Amino acid sequence: LGLLLISFMFVLITIHLLLLYLKFVCCSQYKSTNGEPFPWGRMRLPTTVFPLHYDLTIHPNLTTLDFTGVVRIQLDVREDTSAIILHAKHMQISNVLLLAPEGVRPLRLLEYPRFHQLGLLSDSVLIKGRKYEVQLEFAANLSDSFHGFYKSSYRTSSGEVRVLASTQFEATFARGAFPCFDEPAFKANFTIQIIREPRHIAISNMPKVHTNLPGGLLEDHFDTTVKMSTYLVAYIVSDFLSVSRTTQHGVKISIYAVPEKIDQTAFALDAAVKLLDFYDDYFDIPYPLPKQDLAAIPDFQSGAMENWGLTTYRETGLLFDPDKSSASDKLGITKVIAHELAHQWFGNLVTMEWWNDLWLNEGFAKFMEFISLDITYPELHVDDFFLEKCFEAMEVDSLSSSHPVSTPVENPTQIQEMFDDVSYDKGACILNMLRDFLTPEAFEIGIIRYLKRYSYQNTVNSHLWESLTNVSLKIKVIKFTVYRVLDKWYSGDELDVKAIMDTWTLQEGFPLVTVEVRGREVRLSQERYLKTDDPSLTEGFLWQIPLTYMTSASNTIHRFLLKTKTDVLYLPEDVDWVKFNVDMSGFYMVHYAGEGWNSIIKVLQHNHTALTSNDRASLIHNVFQLVSIGKVKLDTALELSLYLSRETEIMAVTQGFGELVPLYKLMEKRDMAALENQMKGYIVDLFRGLIDKQEWSDSGSVSERVLRSYLLLFGSVRNYPPCLTKATQLFKQWKDSDGNMSLPVDVTMAVFMIGARTPEGWDFLFEKYRQLEGKTMAIFLVTLHFLSLCFCRMMEQSLHGEVMKTQDLPGVVVSVSKNPHGYKLGWDFLRANWNTLIKKFDLGSSTISHMVTGVTNQYSTKEMLDEVRSFFGSLTEETGSGMRCIQQAYETIEDNIRWMDNNLPLLQAWLDKHSRRTIHEDL
């Protein structure tokens, strides 16, 4: 009997191993680097093994610019397996060991670089439910890009170059720093040790516990992290200094920066303390770590990164110099800090299961920027800038190459492409719409419930909708006031947040609602807004739209949930006008059919303050966008724009510029000087009165200061005589003082732009570059237009990072491309350096997308379209042929061509008529 049992067990084991072998063989088309079949055939990792804990030691050498390390990973085996699949990229792996209950034994290593995967093969089966550990030694060069574990550097005031090493692991770059399970659902704890020279410091996600001294080096040991995803791991080895304070809740906040800029950290420290305390209270969940570091990195591709306990930033996103930084810098710094600290809950504590739902991280963080700053920094008037995010998202979402907020992604390039305006800005805007729909009280309770329920876990869309639905229904029953508001939305029907929001997150695009008023009857219809000449692409789309509207008869905001293609509303009384999408709280456009737009134009001309500034901005945006798809004639939009001569609010003014300036920009690329100058003259005349009211100083609120900077720069660019005279005078005084004179920060852009127009002025500015903000100089210097050689010099300087940092290159290239004398140079540079750029900034990144669309989005001729298609059509998959931004570039140029073909005669006729009307009025 014993022999029979042994034989039976032997047969079972043999069958089990045979099945594993067959599974191995079925993947044989995937060849390892040594020619053997790789035991896994998918981009996503198998779920047979999960990491529980990483013990990671890293030793970067800042002289040889490489690093070595060893990682020990504790594993939870969830299915019997003989293969452990994890990630590693561009590193040498050695001494791979399995630490099993039976003892230590080596594992066979296979590598599959295409998917950045390692296969660790065991001679015996790893049994489900048992705990194992694997240990790997590794070595690699510090990355010369902006991701992974990469080299950064800065130059001191004495000219010395100092090197540091920093991490950027989102989305798929932790695998380039240490072997790991580099997907967000594989959460684990991390215990990190960093070996360094005594002249440096090391910081990581957690506080340092103690330091050892092995052979002249120092080894810092950091406390074990909370359970988190690999993309949130962070460590920096540098010579940074820091300043610190403690929040009311006992969290130590530290700002790290290069020694010579440590005196520019006070504003960020105050903001971080205030904002972390706010989130602690708002979310009703204590920040779970004992410290929060914010580090200003000299070389940084994106704006910032939310690593848990160690957020990293561009220097311009964190450092504030009261003598040089502008009001918009202050606004930008507080927004980016608010964004990254919101991530400590949305993204870090609760993480999307996979990158298809990135918006659950980024949309919420973008949304919380505005919620938090509205309360903590009311003087910044952050609400004045929210609509801009919605307009930017609509620009992308109006193309057929857009994507749903939640969309399938698989490979690293597709994942990188998710970091766009749809995930961030559209995500924030639909959350704002949902908050308005449910009421702020219900929304806040719902998201707190969501965060508490899924802390340290991974989520999908439906988890959020479930949390918000349940809370909203409870509030409906308990609170009569909220019931009254909600009842107007859905007329007593069962509230189903998921059904509503699936229409906004699972399909691309957004609705255009057409409104036609006939007496007291309001006819409604919806369709997809799409810039295309193929109407079939707009079919099959239906949204549940939370409509809001107000009328000339009442300031009351009325509400209606439009679920069908068409519907009818009835007004209680006759009205002169009706305005839908009040304050543009909804992510949709509105077309006023019949006499609707004429009614709107009348109220704007006679009493524009009857509508809020957000309402006015949304009307400007909508009417010009409707011209693009032929719903409204251009002369109607231009008639509406006439009211702008009386406008003073920043959102409406900047949106007016945003719709009018691109029109002459299209003409610049077609060499249509006469019509172009006529259009420029119209815009200057429109805003002349507001420009004349601006003081050349730094007085007023943030919004007033940002608007002043915008207006004076525009007036100077357009050679408006008062601006030209004043800017020329100030630049001469500044130059005569050898750059020591203190200019008002708000007018510096206008002054330097005028000064850079002469060879002498440009050379002087370039020499002073190191004493000025690099971000600012990238904008200033490309506004000159006397020598093509200077454009090329600036782009080359940025590419090599010799004077201008490479992180600023995308802004420089795009700015050159906007210049009427440099736009072809920007395109030529992009083509000539394409392979270098995609290596430096990574395929699919928002940086590459910004350059592709920014360089091409003002082209409006078939010749340029053919040239753009020819270049991008020659790319391979490895060099980016399938990137979404390329399709967006094609569509935008096609739309520009259609716009010009359809509207140039109308534009010419209207401007001629307007000129005659103006002359007549003057007489």
Side-chain angles (χ1 to χ4, degrees):
L1 181 60
L3 289 173
L4 284 173
L5 285 173
I6 291 171
S7 299
F8 181 69
M9 290 296 295
F10 178 77
V11 169
L12 286 178
I13 292 170
T14 303
I15 292 172
H16 187 74
L17 289 173
L18 180 61
L19 288 172
L20 291 174
Y21 175 76
L22 289 173
K23 184 177 180 181
F24 180 88
V25 169
C26 78
C27 299
S28 61
Q29 69 269 33
Y30 297 96
K31 297 290 185 181
S32 304
T33 51
N34 66 359
E36 292 185 42
F38 193 75
W40 184 246
R42 293 183 57 202
M43 185 78 68
R44 299 278 297 274
L45 296 180
T47 55
T48 52
V49 176
F50 270 71
L52 296 174
H53 179 267
Y54 293 78
D55 195 296
L56 174 65
T57 299
I58 292 281
H59 179 195
N61 187 321
L62 299 190
T63 302
T64 58
L65 303 181
D66 54 19
F67 63 94
T68 58
V70 57
V71 63
R72 180 184 290 191
I73 311 173
Q74 184 182 358
L75 303 173
D76 176 20
V77 178
R78 300 189 178 183
E79 294 179 31
D80 291 358
T81 184
S82 60
I84 301 166
I85 311 299
L86 69 163
H87 289 112
K89 182 181 179 182
H90 297 159
M91 58 177 56
Q92 297 81 49
I93 309 294
S94 59
N95 296 332
V96 183
L97 302 175
L98 177 70
L99 289 69
E102 301 81 21
V104 178
R105 60 179 185 270
L107 293 172
R108 199 151 60 87
L109 173 68
L110 296 178
E111 298 183 58
Y112 189 57
R114 183 186 171 198
F115 291 170
H116 310 151
Q117 289 175 356
L118 300 179
L120 312 183
L121 305 186
S122 171
D123 292 334
S124 60
V125 177
L126 279 62
I127 307 300
K128 175 182 177 180
R130 297 184 67 180
K131 300 293 189 291
Y132 299 84
E133 289 185 82
V134 292
Q135 180 173 298
L136 305 92
E137 295 180 16
F138 56 92
N141 293 322
L142 289 171
S143 172
D144 59 2
S145 65
F146 295 101
H147 45 257
F149 192 24
Y150 71 93
K151 181 203 79 168
S152 178
S153 65
Y154 70 95
R155 191 182 298 271
T156 67
S157 57
S158 63
E160 178 189 358
V161 175
R162 295 185 182 177
V163 177
L164 60 132
S166 183
T167 58
Q168 170 60 39
F169 290 164
E170 190 177 39
T172 59
F173 302 118
R175 64 192 65 175
F178 62 98
C180 58
F181 296 78
D182 198 15
E183 294 181 6
F186 288 91
K187 288 190 170 186
N189 304 99
F190 295 81
T191 303
I192 295 173
Q193 293 81 232
I194 298 177
I195 300 172
R196 60 177 172 87
E197 297 179 73
R199 64 193 176 106
H200 294 130
I201 65 164
I203 51 177
S204 187
N205 302 85
M206 297 297 288
K208 184 169 63 176
V209 177
H210 61 86
T211 299
N212 296 336
L213 298 100
L217 297 173
L218 302 180
E219 183 178 84
D220 292 325
H221 291 243
F222 296 90
D223 207 350
T224 300
T225 71
V226 295
K227 189 178 177 183
M228 66 185 196
S229 304
T230 50
Y231 77 88
L232 296 170
V233 174
Y235 37 87
I236 301 170
V237 177
S238 70
D239 66 344
F240 287 174
L241 298 180
S242 66
V243 295
S244 302
R245 269 178 50 197
T246 302
T247 70
Q248 292 178 0
H249 295 85
V251 179
K252 183 181 179 182
I253 304 285
S254 300
I255 312 290
Y256 286 82
V258 301
E260 291 181 354
K261 296 182 180 179
I262 197 65
D263 60 347
Q264 298 177 31
T265 56
F267 180 78
L269 184 60
D270 288 342
V273 169
K274 186 182 291 189
L275 285 162
L276 199 71
D277 273 331
F278 167 80
Y279 286 133
D280 230 317
D281 295 331
Y282 184 88
F283 294 134
D284 194 32
I285 301 173
Y287 176 73
L289 307 186
K291 62 95 172 178
Q292 168 64 230
D293 297 335
L294 298 85
I297 311 298
D299 297 288
F300 202 79
Q301 178 174 339
S302 57
M305 177 59 205
E306 66 266 21
N307 318 298
W308 215 345
L310 174 52
T311 53
T312 48
Y313 304 76
R314 277 197 179 199
E315 288 186 329
T316 52
L318 195 64
L319 305 180
F320 184 83
D321 183 342
D323 295 326
K324 296 179 181 178
S325 301
S326 66
S328 58
D329 290 333
K330 179 180 286 189
L331 177 65
I333 289 168
T334 49
K335 283 174 65 179
V336 74
I337 293 174
H339 184 103
E340 303 314 322
L341 295 187
H343 269 310
Q344 308 303 298
W345 285 264
F346 280 104
N348 299 8
L349 183 67
V350 179
T351 313
M352 78 268 136
E353 187 172 287
W354 180 241
W355 299 105
N356 64 305
D357 280 331
L358 174 68
W359 86 277
L360 288 174
N361 287 15
E362 298 299 350
F364 257 111
K366 178 63 68 175
F367 171 73
M368 288 307 302
E369 287 178 32
F370 293 89
I371 296 297
S372 61
L373 294 185
D374 186 48
I375 296 170
T376 57
Y377 284 90
E379 70 275 13
L380 294 180
H381 299 291
V382 71
D383 281 349
D384 287 344
F385 304 93
F386 184 73
L387 279 198
E388 178 186 8
K389 301 291 107 185
C390 300
F391 295 150
E392 289 172 358
M394 284 179 164
E395 186 67 26
V396 174
D397 216 20
S398 64
L399 304 175
S400 62
S401 53
S402 185
H403 63 89
V405 169
S406 178
T407 194
V409 290
E410 190 73 10
N411 61 53
T413 299
Q414 292 171 346
I415 292 168
Q416 284 287 93
E417 288 187 309
M418 289 298 289
F419 290 81
D420 67 356
D421 288 341
V422 173
S423 295
Y424 284 72
D425 296 341
K426 182 179 178 179
C429 292
I430 63 174
L431 286 171
N432 184 61
M433 177 175 66
L434 181 60
R435 179 175 183 258
D436 185 63
F437 171 61
L438 296 176
T439 73
E441 180 183 28
F443 182 83
E444 182 179 342
I445 293 171
I447 62 172
I448 291 171
R449 175 177 176 169
Y450 165 78
L451 289 171
K452 288 184 174 180
R453 181 172 179 181
Y454 295 105
S455 291
Y456 305 103
Q457 299 178 57
N458 297 83
T459 60
V460 295
N461 273 349
S462 58
H463 294 145
L464 176 62
W465 309 145
E466 178 188 329
S467 297
L468 288 164
T469 296
N470 291 344
V471 168
S472 299
L473 289 174
K474 286 180 181 178
I475 290 181
K476 177 186 171 184
V477 173
I478 296 169
K479 300 203 71 171
F480 179 72
T481 55
V482 178
Y483 169 79
R484 288 290 302 277
V485 173
L486 292 175
D487 186 55
K488 292 180 181 179
W489 278 114
Y490 58 88
S491 304
D493 295 341
E494 183 78 2
L495 176 63
D496 188 345
V497 174
K498 182 179 185 300
I500 296 168
M501 295 309 295
D502 278 353
T503 70
W504 295 93
T505 59
L506 301 184
Q507 62 182 351
E508 70 270 25
F510 59 91
L512 168 64
V513 176
T514 297
V515 176
E516 186 172 7
V517 180
R518 298 186 178 180
R520 296 184 183 180
E521 181 181 89
V522 182
R523 298 187 178 185
L524 306 169
S525 63
Q526 63 163 294
E527 61 188 293
R528 182 184 177 187
Y529 177 90
L530 190 65
K531 292 181 178 178
T532 180
D533 54 2
D534 184 356
S536 67
L537 295 177
T538 65
E539 296 173 1
F541 289 85
L542 185 69
W543 287 264
Q544 293 195 31
I545 311 172
L547 297 179
T548 55
Y549 63 98
M550 59 185 294
T551 72
S552 59
S554 169
N555 289 328
T556 301
I557 299 176
H558 304 277
R559 304 174 184 274
F560 181 76
L561 186 62
L562 179 63
K563 295 182 178 182
T564 53
K565 201 75 173 175
T566 61
D567 212 328
V568 178
L569 284 174
Y570 294 94
L571 303 174
E573 55 195 319
D574 291 333
V575 298
D576 295 326
W577 53 265
V578 58
K579 166 66 172 70
F580 273 77
N581 202 0
V582 177
D583 281 334
M584 202 170 164
S585 58
F587 195 73
Y588 59 93
M589 286 190 197
V590 183
H591 170 43
Y592 299 92
E595 288 298 306
W597 279 112
N598 289 334
S599 300
I600 293 291
I601 290 171
K602 285 178 183 176
V603 69
L604 288 174
Q605 288 176 340
H606 296 103
N607 184 23
H608 67 278
T609 56
L611 299 167
T612 66
S613 61
N614 275 4
D615 276 330
R616 303 195 298 268
S618 69
L619 288 168
I620 296 164
H621 173 267
N622 286 190
V623 75
F624 277 95
Q625 295 304 309
L626 290 170
V627 172
S628 294
I629 61 170
K631 291 282 186 180
V632 171
K633 289 197 171 187
L634 179 60
D635 51 3
T636 299
L638 291 168
E639 287 294 323
L640 184 145
S641 74
L642 287 169
Y643 104 89
L644 285 166
S645 63
R646 295 184 302 281
E647 184 60 81
T648 59
E649 297 294 330
I650 184 169
M651 194 64 246
V653 170
T654 55
Q655 195 54 41
F657 277 108
E659 299 297 341
L660 294 168
V661 169
L663 304 190
Y664 74 71
K665 285 292 183 183
L666 292 177
M667 299 171 210
E668 284 179 347
K669 312 306 183 289
R670 282 198 179 190
D671 297 324
M672 306 176 65
L675 184 58
E676 172 195 331
N677 288 328
Q678 206 173 350
M679 186 68 201
K680 290 175 180 176
Y682 169 66
I683 301 173
V684 171
D685 285 342
L686 201 58
F687 295 104
R688 182 191 305 269
L690 193 57
I691 294 172
D692 289 343
K693 291 178 182 177
Q694 304 305 309
E695 298 177 358
W696 291 69
S697 69
D698 288 335
S699 61
S701 69
V702 170
S703 293
E704 289 169 342
R705 293 181 62 185
V706 171
L707 182 59
R708 173 189 299 127
S709 182
Y710 193 104
L711 288 166
L712 294 181
L713 178 62
F714 174 79
S716 299
V717 169
R718 295 277 59 85
N719 298 317
Y720 180 50
C723 292
L724 194 61
T725 300
K726 185 66 174 179
T728 302
Q729 174 193 345
L730 287 174
F731 183 79
K732 183 179 184 303
Q733 293 172 359
W734 180 76
K735 186 171 179 291
D736 289 345
S737 74
D738 195 31
N740 294 317
M741 172 185 159
S742 181
L743 289 169
V745 175
D746 295 346
V747 308
T748 306
M749 291 180 72
V751 172
F752 286 179
M753 194 284 304
I754 293 299
R757 287 182 171 181
T758 67
E760 298 80 11
W762 192 90
D763 287 339
F764 183 78
L765 279 167
F766 199 80
E767 288 302 316
K768 293 293 179 183
Y769 169 73
R770 291 191 186 93
Q771 302 171 26
L772 300 166
E773 292 296 329
K775 177 187 70 172
T776 306
M777 289 300 294
I779 298 170
F780 293 158
L781 296 182
V782 296
T783 55
L784 69 126
H785 49 264
F786 68 95
L787 277 180
S788 298
L789 178 63
C790 294
F791 289 130
C792 298
R793 177 183 170 191
M794 289 171 57
M795 290 187 290
E796 290 296 333
Q797 291 273 13
S798 297
L799 180 62
H800 300 297
E802 294 167 357
V803 178
M804 292 186 173
K805 285 188 169 292
T806 305
Q807 67 178 17
D808 296 324
L809 174 63
V812 171
V813 173
V814 171
S815 296
V816 167
S817 301
K818 303 297 184 193
N819 189 292
H821 301 274
Y823 72 95
K824 281 300 296 290
L825 295 174
W827 168 241
D828 291 342
F829 180 87
L830 184 71
R831 288 187 296 178
N833 295 282
W834 180 257
N835 289 332
T836 302
L837 293 171
I838 61 175
K839 181 180 179 183
K840 188 73 176 178
F841 296 109
D842 209 62
L843 275 182
S845 69
S846 58
T847 306
I848 292 294
S849 175
H850 174 61
M851 281 192 283
V852 169
T853 56
V855 165
T856 62
N857 65 8
Q858 291 179 356
Y859 296 156
S860 62
T861 64
K862 186 178 183 303
E863 291 74 21
M864 282 309 301
L865 176 61
D866 291 342
E867 196 171 311
V868 170
R869 283 189 181 277
S870 175
F871 171 70
F872 288 127
S874 70
L875 300 180
T876 63
E877 183 179 352
E878 290 73 23
T879 56
S881 62
M883 288 192 298
R884 185 182 293 120
C885 62
I886 293 174
Q887 298 304 315
Q888 291 172 344
Y890 296 159
E891 284 190 67
T892 300
I893 300 171
E894 289 167 350
D895 177 58
N896 291 343
I897 293 171
R898 280 195 303 273
W899 196 99
M900 296 289 274
D901 291 347
N902 295 337
N903 292 295
L904 278 181
L906 268 175
L907 180 61
Q908 182 72 72
W910 190 89
L911 289 173
D912 289 343
K913 177 183 174 184
H914 172 72
S915 298
R916 290 192 298 271
R917 185 164 56 187
T918 303
I919 293 170
H920 178 73
E921 288 170 355
D922 290 343
L923 294 174

